[in-house]
Amino acid sequence: MKKLLSIGITITLIIILLLGVNELPKFGQYNNPANNEVSHYYIEKTPEETGAMNIVTGIILDYRAFDTFVEASVLFTASIIVLLLLKKEKPSPDTISDVTVIKSTILKEVSKVLIPCIQIFGIYIIFYGHLSPGGGFAGGTIIGTSFILYRIVYGKKFTDKKLPYSILINYLCGAIIFYGLLKGYSFITGGNHLDMPQPGLGTAGNILSGGFLLPLNILVGLIVAITIYFFFTLFDGGEI
């Protein structure tokens, strides 16, 4: 009975979704809802008003910075909830992490070169997010993946000494708070900024440009990297 009910619900959802897709406007039509004055304004004004060469970054960290703040808050909240639900008070002697440690000398030696390269690439993606495709979400995911690889190769005990939980949670909390402080004036004034002091946009195309976009990308990258690492460690063995 449960299987039949599950199949019925799944088929119903598929039908509803297909009906919704059928009602979507045809791709490429000039009068589609997405082709309006807002998109044209973003395309024309983003480099001038935000200093970002990457229009996507200018939109998500300036025009729609509040949305991005909520998205980062969702990640933060999710990581805290997972901590509350899965974190063990006392470490178990036989954890999944310890069992899955790969003791290959070759792998450890290769990781000494590979992991720093991954992290440098992640930092590059974050720092150049306002100039080229990338940003805090993409770069943070790359760095978080390097942390996970480090833990898999070297094991829980060794990794905990290098990436202690207390320091990571402080960085996570500090990043979300600092993000709110940097763009708080924009949230309070409804995005109008009024006469609030603004950082200089600099020369478009330079790494030190775009006002708050670079530090905001760094903060988002921190949040994403630490959250991804927390998720892996907690679902892997319930411990950090």
Side-chain angles (χ1 to χ4, degrees), residues 34-214:
N35 298 327
N36 53 41
E37 64 277 5
V38 176
S39 59
H40 292 299
Y41 183 89
Y42 284 158
I43 293 171
E44 294 173 2
K45 298 293 184 178
T46 294
E48 174 187 345
E49 295 184 349
T50 69
M53 300 302 292
N54 182 357
I55 295 178
V56 174
T57 298
I59 293 172
I60 65 174
L61 290 179
D62 193 280
Y63 295 122
R64 302 181 66 85
F66 183 73
D67 293 348
T68 306
F69 177 70
V70 174
E71 291 170 6
S73 300
V74 169
L75 285 175
F76 173 80
T77 305
S79 63
I80 296 300
I81 291 173
V82 172
L83 281 171
L84 293 173
L85 293 176
L86 298 182
K87 191 172 188 304
K88 296 179 181 178
E89 294 297 329
K90 296 181 180 180
S92 172
D94 298 317
T95 61
I96 298 176
S97 297
D98 291 333
V99 174
T100 56
V101 172
I102 301 175
K103 298 181 179 180
S104 170
T105 303
I106 295 176
L107 182 59
K108 287 184 178 181
E109 293 302 318
V110 171
S111 69
K112 290 179 181 179
V113 177
L114 182 61
I115 291 176
C117 291
I118 294 174
Q119 293 174 342
I120 291 172
F121 180 61
I123 292 171
Y124 167 81
I125 293 294
I126 292 173
F127 273 68
Y128 282 82
H130 59 301
L131 305 178
S132 60
F137 286 102
T141 303
I142 294 170
I143 295 175
T145 303
S146 74
F147 293 163
I148 293 172
L149 179 59
Y150 191 88
R151 186 183 181 95
I152 291 173
V153 174
Y154 291 97
K156 174 185 179 302
K157 293 181 180 179
F158 186 82
T159 307
D160 286 346
K161 295 179 182 179
K162 299 293 183 179
L163 300 171
Y165 163 75
S166 57
I167 293 179
L168 291 179
I169 197 68
N170 286 337
Y171 278 131
L172 182 62
C173 296
I176 195 72
I177 292 171
F178 198 39
Y179 185 108
L181 292 175
L182 279 181
K183 293 299 290 186
Y185 69 91
S186 182
F187 304 155
I188 295 171
T189 61
N192 295 320
H193 300 173
L194 298 180
D195 296 323
M196 302 293 289
Q198 300 289 316
L201 297 181
T203 303
N206 292 345
I207 187 170
L208 296 178
S209 63
F212 286 143
L213 295 184
L214 177 56

Side-chain angles (χ1 to χ4, degrees), residues 72 75-76 78-79 172 222-232:
L75 285 175
F76 173 80
S79 63
L172 182 62
L222 271 175
I223 295 169
V224 173
I226 295 172
T227 300
I228 287 176
Y229 176 68
F230 276 2
F231 282 170
F232 174 82

